[in-house]
Amino acid sequence: MDGYTLNDLLATKTSTTKKKQTKRLWREIEELQDRRQLLQELKELDPFFKGNIDSAIFK
């Protein structure tokens, strides 16, 4: 196997998987922050806004 051992291959695969999970987690965090910012802007424009972002956007 070109000088690779099973442990080397497994270590490489788990480190790649962890990087992908970390990137995905940060994307989710950024999405939540964007949604929170949008909700704050909606409340600034309409102080009587009582709802969630999904109902405001998709109506």
Side-chain angles (χ1 to χ4, degrees):
M1 289 181 59
D2 299 335
Y4 290 107
T5 64
L6 182 59
N7 289 335
D8 293 338
L9 292 173
L10 291 175
T12 304
K13 183 173 179 101
T14 57
S15 101
T16 304
T17 304
K18 287 181 182 179
K19 286 180 183 178
K20 287 181 182 180
Q21 289 174 348
T22 303
K23 286 181 182 179
R24 185 177 343 147
L25 179 64
W26 277 111
R27 287 187 196 124
E28 291 175 6
I29 291 171
E30 288 174 350
E31 181 182 351
L32 289 172
Q33 289 173 341
D34 289 344
R35 292 172 68 87
R36 183 184 301 148
Q37 180 66 29
L38 179 60
L39 184 58
Q40 289 175 351
E41 290 174 6
L42 285 171
K43 287 182 179 181
E44 286 177 7
L45 293 173
D46 183 10
F48 299 108
F49 177 74
K50 301 287 187 214
N52 60 20
I53 295 172
D54 294 329
S55 66
I57 293 174
F58 297 116
K59 279 190 174 182

